[in-house]
Amino acid sequence: MALLDDVLKELPAYLGKFTHLLSQPAQLVHDHLQAEDSRAKLEQSIAFLLLSFTIALVLAVVFPEMTNPVQLASDDAGMAAHAFAAIRLLFELLGLSALAYLAAKVAGVKSGFQRFFGLICTACGVMLVIQVFAASLTNISLADPVTAKAWIQLEKGMATLKPLVEQNVLCATDASSGEVRPNAALGAQLQTQLTALQAIYMQATDRPLFKLAAGLQLLTGLILLIWSARLWAMYLKGHALSTGKLILATVLLVVFTGAGTLVYELVNAGRTMMDLYRHCG
């Protein structure tokens, strides 16, 4: 496969850069703030992010997350879908970066957006690959046959549950009032199915290997959170901001990105609901 061949060719150089960025976050911030050509540095950062996306995609196929398996497409339509996903990821990142940069700017940061966005692209490339690796740790729990069999039952049960939810809740919404008027028979069937799946889920998750996998995934996420928080603090300190302004920038970061994420999720929810209602019709 051409995609896999391209990844293997780039992998040695990528791993060297990846480990350097992960182990020396201070150097990462310094390189972006002191770069003579910020535009060239930005282009390198975007290229690194897109390569990270490709490597993460391949890793997600080789070591799929237990709850969200990814299929690597082999046809042109599938590859186009992956390309559009990468472009969408980049635009989402651009929007969140703009909000984060606004928070830093209000706190007193003077450097341009190109340097900040380049730093964000590089950091997100590192975090994306690690997140996929953390997701793959869920497969540890499947070494337990009880969890593995229970999870297969859950997957099959969710496949039958989806149409029940659509017909009994989403498609039962009154067009004039917006109230849900569920079908009593479908409601009883839905409740029975939910109760059975809940029991299977509790059986699957109350196992030592499942708890170990969840703990390792949580630990990896915590390490990433600390690493990204250090990058943010180093970026602000690189502009000689006081502790008070650093706290102000962090508070504004949470507020701005939280509000932006909420609006974005509402837009996506509206589009998803329209698709579902068309399906109901």
Side-chain angles (χ1 to χ4, degrees):
M1 185 179 294
L3 178 60
L4 186 57
D5 290 340
D6 291 340
V7 169
L8 291 175
K9 290 177 183 177
E10 298 288 343
L11 195 56
Y14 176 87
L15 287 176
K17 185 173 183 180
F18 178 87
T19 54
H20 176 74
L21 295 173
L22 185 61
S23 60
Q24 300 186 35
Q27 187 64 43
L28 169 61
V29 175
H30 178 270
D31 290 345
H32 281 272
L33 290 182
Q34 302 300 325
E36 295 182 3
D37 189 345
S38 60
R39 182 174 180 178
K41 194 67 176 177
L42 174 61
E43 292 174 354
Q44 294 173 8
S45 299
I46 294 175
F48 178 82
L49 174 62
L50 294 179
L51 180 57
S52 296
F53 177 87
T54 306
I55 291 176
L57 179 62
V58 174
L59 284 176
V61 175
V62 178
F63 304 105
E65 182 181 3
M66 179 178 68
T67 57
N68 186 28
V70 177
Q71 298 297 325
L72 187 59
S74 58
D75 58 346
D76 291 340
M79 293 308 298
H82 290 321
F84 282 125
I87 294 172
R88 180 176 179 177
L89 174 68
L90 187 58
F91 276 102
E92 290 173 354
L93 181 61
L94 177 62
L96 287 175
S97 298
L99 293 173
Y101 179 71
L102 177 61
K105 198 73 174 175
V106 172
V109 166
K110 301 298 182 183
S111 64
F113 179 68
Q114 280 190 341
R115 296 181 186 276
F116 180 75
F117 187 58
L119 173 62
I120 292 294
C121 286
T122 305
C124 284
V126 173
M127 291 190 288
L128 181 62
V129 173
I130 294 179
Q131 284 176 334
V132 171
F133 171 74
S136 71
L137 293 175
T138 57
N139 289 288
I140 293 175
S141 61
L142 298 182
D144 183 346
V146 174
T147 300
K149 291 181 178 180
W151 214 263
I152 292 173
Q153 288 180 284
L154 282 173
E155 290 176 347
K156 293 179 178 178
M158 291 303 296
T160 60
L161 186 67
K162 182 180 178 181
L164 286 177
V165 174
E166 290 178 351
Q167 294 299 321
N168 193 54
V169 180
L170 299 174
C171 297
T173 305
D174 185 86
S176 59
S177 64
E179 296 180 357
V180 178
R181 298 177 179 176
N183 180 290
L186 285 177
Q189 185 180 356
L190 176 62
Q191 184 59 49
T192 301
Q193 187 79 358
L194 282 172
T195 302
L197 290 178
Q198 184 180 23
I200 296 172
Y201 179 80
M202 293 302 295
Q203 180 189 28
T205 56
D206 192 27
R207 303 287 294 182
L209 284 182
F210 186 94
K211 294 177 180 178
L212 172 63
L216 290 174
Q217 191 175 21
L218 180 62
L219 177 62
T220 306
L222 181 61
I223 292 172
L224 274 183
L225 179 62
I226 295 172
W227 186 79
S228 58
R230 285 186 63 197
L231 278 183
W232 174 251
M234 290 174 185
Y235 173 78
L236 296 177
K237 289 181 178 178
H239 294 83
L241 296 187
S242 64
T243 302
K245 289 187 175 181
L246 192 151
I247 295 174
L248 173 62
T250 303
V251 172
L252 291 176
L253 170 69
V254 174
V255 173
F256 291 167
T257 56
T261 301
L262 176 61
V263 172
Y264 181 74
E265 291 299 329
L266 287 174
V267 171
N268 281 335
R271 186 179 61 181
T272 301
M273 291 302 291
M274 284 297 293
D275 291 340
L276 287 170
Y277 287 140
R278 288 192 183 99
H279 175 71
C280 293

